[in-house]
PDB file of all heavy atoms in Angstrom:
ATOM      1  N   GLY E1768     113.800  99.777 132.818  1.00  0.00           N
ATOM      2  CA  GLY E1768     114.061 101.095 133.397  1.00  0.00           C
ATOM      3  C   GLY E1768     113.390 101.360 134.720  1.00  0.00           C
ATOM      4  O   GLY E1768     113.588 102.416 135.310  1.00  0.00           O
ATOM      5  N   LYS E1769     112.593 100.407 135.217  1.00  0.00           N
ATOM      6  CA  LYS E1769     111.898 100.581 136.499  1.00  0.00           C
ATOM      7  C   LYS E1769     112.664  99.840 137.580  1.00  0.00           C
ATOM      8  O   LYS E1769     112.956  98.657 137.446  1.00  0.00           O
ATOM      9  CB  LYS E1769     110.476 100.040 136.402  1.00  0.00           C
ATOM     10  CG  LYS E1769     109.640 100.228 137.670  1.00  0.00           C
ATOM     11  CD  LYS E1769     108.213  99.774 137.402  1.00  0.00           C
ATOM     12  CE  LYS E1769     107.309 100.082 138.582  1.00  0.00           C
ATOM     13  NZ  LYS E1769     105.897  99.739 138.267  1.00  0.00           N
ATOM     14  N   MET E1770     112.947 100.539 138.677  1.00  0.00           N
ATOM     15  CA  MET E1770     113.657  99.946 139.804  1.00  0.00           C
ATOM     16  C   MET E1770     112.654  99.584 140.897  1.00  0.00           C
ATOM     17  O   MET E1770     111.667 100.286 141.114  1.00  0.00           O
ATOM     18  CB  MET E1770     114.679 100.921 140.383  1.00  0.00           C
ATOM     19  CG  MET E1770     115.800 101.326 139.452  1.00  0.00           C
ATOM     20  SD  MET E1770     116.931  99.973 139.037  1.00  0.00           S
ATOM     21  CE  MET E1770     117.454  99.420 140.674  1.00  0.00           C
ATOM     22  N   ALA E1771     112.937  98.482 141.597  1.00  0.00           N
ATOM     23  CA  ALA E1771     112.190  98.117 142.792  1.00  0.00           C
ATOM     24  C   ALA E1771     113.171  97.668 143.861  1.00  0.00           C
ATOM     25  O   ALA E1771     114.208  97.047 143.554  1.00  0.00           O
ATOM     26  CB  ALA E1771     111.176  97.010 142.491  1.00  0.00           C
ATOM     27  N   PHE E1772     112.874  97.992 145.106  1.00  0.00           N
ATOM     28  CA  PHE E1772     113.780  97.702 146.219  1.00  0.00           C
ATOM     29  C   PHE E1772     113.013  97.073 147.381  1.00  0.00           C
ATOM     30  O   PHE E1772     111.851  97.396 147.612  1.00  0.00           O
ATOM     31  CB  PHE E1772     114.447  98.989 146.725  1.00  0.00           C
ATOM     32  CG  PHE E1772     115.256  99.716 145.715  1.00  0.00           C
ATOM     33  CD1 PHE E1772     114.682 100.685 144.894  1.00  0.00           C
ATOM     34  CD2 PHE E1772     116.623  99.462 145.556  1.00  0.00           C
ATOM     35  CE1 PHE E1772     115.433 101.372 143.949  1.00  0.00           C
ATOM     36  CE2 PHE E1772     117.378 100.145 144.629  1.00  0.00           C
ATOM     37  CZ  PHE E1772     116.786 101.092 143.817  1.00  0.00           C
ATOM     38  N   SER E1773     113.695  96.197 148.099  1.00  0.00           N
ATOM     39  CA  SER E1773     113.174  95.739 149.383  1.00  0.00           C
ATOM     40  C   SER E1773     113.883  96.519 150.477  1.00  0.00           C
ATOM     41  O   SER E1773     115.041  96.887 150.343  1.00  0.00           O
ATOM     42  CB  SER E1773     113.412  94.244 149.561  1.00  0.00           C
ATOM     43  OG  SER E1773     114.805  93.956 149.681  1.00  0.00           O
ATOM     44  N   GLY E1774     113.160  96.768 151.563  1.00  0.00           N
ATOM     45  CA  GLY E1774     113.736  97.586 152.626  1.00  0.00           C
ATOM     46  C   GLY E1774     114.056  96.825 153.898  1.00  0.00           C
ATOM     47  O   GLY E1774     114.622  97.385 154.818  1.00  0.00           O
ATOM     48  N   GLY E1775     113.679  95.544 153.941  1.00  0.00           N
ATOM     49  CA  GLY E1775     113.910  94.774 155.156  1.00  0.00           C
ATOM     50  C   GLY E1775     115.281  94.152 155.193  1.00  0.00           C
ATOM     51  O   GLY E1775     116.184  94.506 154.438  1.00  0.00           O
ATOM     52  N   ILE E1776     115.458  93.196 156.089  1.00  0.00           N
ATOM     53  CA  ILE E1776     116.753  92.541 156.278  1.00  0.00           C
ATOM     54  C   ILE E1776     116.509  91.045 156.420  1.00  0.00           C
ATOM     55  O   ILE E1776     115.531  90.633 157.042  1.00  0.00           O
ATOM     56  CB  ILE E1776     117.473  93.081 157.524  1.00  0.00           C
ATOM     57  CG1 ILE E1776     117.739  94.580 157.375  1.00  0.00           C
ATOM     58  CG2 ILE E1776     118.776  92.349 157.777  1.00  0.00           C
ATOM     59  CD1 ILE E1776     118.277  95.237 158.638  1.00  0.00           C
ATOM     60  N   LEU E1777     117.392  90.238 155.848  1.00  0.00           N
ATOM     61  CA  LEU E1777     117.315  88.790 156.017  1.00  0.00           C
ATOM     62  C   LEU E1777     118.692  88.295 156.440  1.00  0.00           C
ATOM     63  O   LEU E1777     119.666  88.451 155.699  1.00  0.00           O
ATOM     64  CB  LEU E1777     116.882  88.098 154.721  1.00  0.00           C
ATOM     65  CG  LEU E1777     116.651  86.591 154.814  1.00  0.00           C
ATOM     66  CD1 LEU E1777     115.550  86.278 155.808  1.00  0.00           C
ATOM     67  CD2 LEU E1777     116.324  86.011 153.457  1.00  0.00           C
ATOM     68  N   GLN E1778     118.770  87.714 157.646  1.00  0.00           N
ATOM     69  CA  GLN E1778     120.052  87.291 158.199  1.00  0.00           C
ATOM     70  C   GLN E1778     119.952  85.840 158.661  1.00  0.00           C
ATOM     71  O   GLN E1778     119.874  85.550 159.840  1.00  0.00           O
ATOM     72  CB  GLN E1778     120.444  88.182 159.368  1.00  0.00           C
ATOM     73  CG  GLN E1778     120.610  89.642 158.971  1.00  0.00           C
ATOM     74  CD  GLN E1778     120.831  90.537 160.175  1.00  0.00           C
ATOM     75  OE1 GLN E1778     120.377  90.242 161.262  1.00  0.00           O
ATOM     76  NE2 GLN E1778     121.520  91.648 159.968  1.00  0.00           N
ATOM     77  N   LYS E1779     119.953  84.942 157.678  1.00  0.00           N
ATOM     78  CA  LYS E1779     119.820  83.512 157.986  1.00  0.00           C
ATOM     79  C   LYS E1779     118.616  83.308 158.887  1.00  0.00           C
ATOM     80  O   LYS E1779     117.508  83.690 158.550  1.00  0.00           O
ATOM     81  CB  LYS E1779     121.117  82.983 158.569  1.00  0.00           C
ATOM     82  CG  LYS E1779     122.284  83.094 157.605  1.00  0.00           C
ATOM     83  CD  LYS E1779     123.510  82.405 158.133  1.00  0.00           C
ATOM     84  CE  LYS E1779     124.625  82.489 157.083  1.00  0.00           C
ATOM     85  NZ  LYS E1779     125.680  83.379 157.449  1.00  0.00           N
ATOM     86  N   ALA E1780     118.788  82.704 160.054  1.00  0.00           N
ATOM     87  CA  ALA E1780     117.642  82.431 160.916  1.00  0.00           C
ATOM     88  C   ALA E1780     117.268  83.622 161.800  1.00  0.00           C
ATOM     89  O   ALA E1780     116.239  83.589 162.459  1.00  0.00           O
ATOM     90  CB  ALA E1780     117.928  81.216 161.790  1.00  0.00           C
ATOM     91  N   ALA E1781     118.077  84.640 161.814  1.00  0.00           N
ATOM     92  CA  ALA E1781     117.808  85.786 162.683  1.00  0.00           C
ATOM     93  C   ALA E1781     116.762  86.704 162.060  1.00  0.00           C
ATOM     94  O   ALA E1781     116.792  86.989 160.877  1.00  0.00           O
ATOM     95  CB  ALA E1781     119.091  86.564 162.944  1.00  0.00           C
ATOM     96  N   LEU E1782     115.851  87.168 162.885  1.00  0.00           N
ATOM     97  CA  LEU E1782     114.838  88.112 162.438  1.00  0.00           C
ATOM     98  C   LEU E1782     115.205  89.521 162.914  1.00  0.00           C
ATOM     99  O   LEU E1782     115.578  89.710 164.060  1.00  0.00           O
ATOM    100  CB  LEU E1782     113.457  87.732 162.984  1.00  0.00           C
ATOM    101  CG  LEU E1782     112.817  86.507 162.350  1.00  0.00           C
ATOM    102  CD1 LEU E1782     111.655  86.024 163.172  1.00  0.00           C
ATOM    103  CD2 LEU E1782     112.353  86.827 160.940  1.00  0.00           C
ATOM    104  N   ALA E1783     115.107  90.472 162.004  1.00  0.00           N
ATOM    105  CA  ALA E1783     115.393  91.849 162.356  1.00  0.00           C
ATOM    106  C   ALA E1783     114.131  92.631 162.707  1.00  0.00           C
ATOM    107  O   ALA E1783     114.206  93.722 163.257  1.00  0.00           O
ATOM    108  CB  ALA E1783     116.122  92.543 161.206  1.00  0.00           C
ATOM    109  N   PHE E1784     112.958  92.093 162.329  1.00  0.00           N
ATOM    110  CA  PHE E1784     111.675  92.772 162.543  1.00  0.00           C
ATOM    111  C   PHE E1784     111.673  94.170 161.940  1.00  0.00           C
ATOM    112  O   PHE E1784     111.134  95.119 162.519  1.00  0.00           O
ATOM    113  CB  PHE E1784     111.315  92.801 164.039  1.00  0.00           C
ATOM    114  CG  PHE E1784     111.194  91.436 164.650  1.00  0.00           C
ATOM    115  CD1 PHE E1784     112.208  90.900 165.432  1.00  0.00           C
ATOM    116  CD2 PHE E1784     110.062  90.655 164.433  1.00  0.00           C
ATOM    117  CE1 PHE E1784     112.101  89.636 165.985  1.00  0.00           C
ATOM    118  CE2 PHE E1784     109.947  89.380 164.978  1.00  0.00           C
ATOM    119  CZ  PHE E1784     110.972  88.871 165.750  1.00  0.00           C
ATOM    120  N   ASN E1785     112.303  94.292 160.791  1.00  0.00           N
ATOM    121  CA  ASN E1785     112.378  95.568 160.074  1.00  0.00           C
ATOM    122  C   ASN E1785     111.066  95.758 159.301  1.00  0.00           C
ATOM    123  O   ASN E1785     110.689  94.922 158.466  1.00  0.00           O
ATOM    124  CB  ASN E1785     113.564  95.552 159.122  1.00  0.00           C
ATOM    125  CG  ASN E1785     113.750  96.867 158.388  1.00  0.00           C
ATOM    126  OD1 ASN E1785     112.853  97.342 157.720  1.00  0.00           O
ATOM    127  ND2 ASN E1785     114.937  97.446 158.514  1.00  0.00           N
ATOM    128  N   ARG E1786     110.380  96.858 159.542  1.00  0.00           N
ATOM    129  CA  ARG E1786     109.062  97.113 158.930  1.00  0.00           C
ATOM    130  C   ARG E1786     109.109  98.158 157.826  1.00  0.00           C
ATOM    131  O   ARG E1786     108.096  98.758 157.512  1.00  0.00           O
ATOM    132  CB  ARG E1786     108.068  97.525 160.018  1.00  0.00           C
ATOM    133  CG  ARG E1786     107.782  96.438 161.047  1.00  0.00           C
ATOM    134  CD  ARG E1786     106.756  96.911 162.059  1.00  0.00           C
ATOM    135  NE  ARG E1786     106.461  95.897 163.070  1.00  0.00           N
ATOM    136  CZ  ARG E1786     105.495  94.964 162.940  1.00  0.00           C
ATOM    137  NH1 ARG E1786     104.756  94.951 161.852  1.00  0.00           N
ATOM    138  NH2 ARG E1786     105.306  94.084 163.906  1.00  0.00           N
ATOM    139  N   THR E1787     110.279  98.355 157.252  1.00  0.00           N
ATOM    140  CA  THR E1787     110.403  99.405 156.233  1.00  0.00           C
ATOM    141  C   THR E1787     109.463  99.171 155.061  1.00  0.00           C
ATOM    142  O   THR E1787     108.852 100.094 154.537  1.00  0.00           O
ATOM    143  CB  THR E1787     111.854  99.493 155.734  1.00  0.00           C
ATOM    144  OG1 THR E1787     112.692  99.861 156.822  1.00  0.00           O
ATOM    145  CG2 THR E1787     111.977 100.510 154.618  1.00  0.00           C
ATOM    146  N   GLY E1788     109.365  97.930 154.564  1.00  0.00           N
ATOM    147  CA  GLY E1788     108.534  97.664 153.393  1.00  0.00           C
ATOM    148  C   GLY E1788     109.348  97.620 152.114  1.00  0.00           C
ATOM    149  O   GLY E1788     110.435  97.045 152.069  1.00  0.00           O
ATOM    150  N   GLY E1789     108.839  98.244 151.059  1.00  0.00           N
ATOM    151  CA  GLY E1789     109.529  98.244 149.777  1.00  0.00           C
ATOM    152  C   GLY E1789     109.293  99.546 149.037  1.00  0.00           C
ATOM    153  O   GLY E1789     108.495 100.393 149.459  1.00  0.00           O
ATOM    154  N   TYR E1790     110.017  99.701 147.896  1.00  0.00           N
ATOM    155  CA  TYR E1790     109.939 100.931 147.125  1.00  0.00           C
ATOM    156  C   TYR E1790     109.942 100.600 145.625  1.00  0.00           C
ATOM    157  O   TYR E1790     110.438  99.552 145.209  1.00  0.00           O
ATOM    158  CB  TYR E1790     111.148 101.854 147.342  1.00  0.00           C
ATOM    159  CG  TYR E1790     111.782 101.893 148.692  1.00  0.00           C
ATOM    160  CD1 TYR E1790     112.626 100.867 149.130  1.00  0.00           C
ATOM    161  CD2 TYR E1790     111.607 102.995 149.517  1.00  0.00           C
ATOM    162  CE1 TYR E1790     113.265 100.934 150.367  1.00  0.00           C
ATOM    163  CE2 TYR E1790     112.245 103.068 150.749  1.00  0.00           C
ATOM    164  CZ  TYR E1790     113.063 102.040 151.172  1.00  0.00           C
ATOM    165  OH  TYR E1790     113.691 102.113 152.385  1.00  0.00           O
ATOM    166  N   THR E1791     109.457 101.549 144.846  1.00  0.00           N
ATOM    167  CA  THR E1791     109.738 101.567 143.414  1.00  0.00           C
ATOM    168  C   THR E1791     110.312 102.931 143.067  1.00  0.00           C
ATOM    169  O   THR E1791     110.053 103.929 143.755  1.00  0.00           O
ATOM    170  CB  THR E1791     108.488 101.311 142.553  1.00  0.00           C
ATOM    171  OG1 THR E1791     107.483 102.292 142.837  1.00  0.00           O
ATOM    172  CG2 THR E1791     107.942  99.913 142.802  1.00  0.00           C
ATOM    173  N   PHE E1792     111.093 102.965 141.998  1.00  0.00           N
ATOM    174  CA  PHE E1792     111.706 104.218 141.526  1.00  0.00           C
ATOM    175  C   PHE E1792     111.618 104.234 140.015  1.00  0.00           C
ATOM    176  O   PHE E1792     112.241 103.418 139.341  1.00  0.00           O
ATOM    177  CB  PHE E1792     113.152 104.298 141.988  1.00  0.00           C
ATOM    178  CG  PHE E1792     113.850 105.594 141.652  1.00  0.00           C
ATOM    179  CD1 PHE E1792     113.256 106.809 141.902  1.00  0.00           C
ATOM    180  CD2 PHE E1792     115.116 105.573 141.084  1.00  0.00           C
ATOM    181  CE1 PHE E1792     113.914 107.997 141.599  1.00  0.00           C
ATOM    182  CE2 PHE E1792     115.777 106.750 140.784  1.00  0.00           C
ATOM    183  CZ  PHE E1792     115.181 107.972 141.037  1.00  0.00           C
TER     184      PHE E1792
END
Side-chain angles (χ1 to χ4, degrees):
K1769 183 174 186 175
M1770 297 293 304
F1772 300 89
S1773 68
I1776 299 172
L1777 185 61
Q1778 299 172 332
K1779 298 187 177 109
L1782 287 166
F1784 299 102
N1785 183 304
R1786 295 182 180 271
T1787 297
Y1790 325 77
T1791 58
F1792 184 48

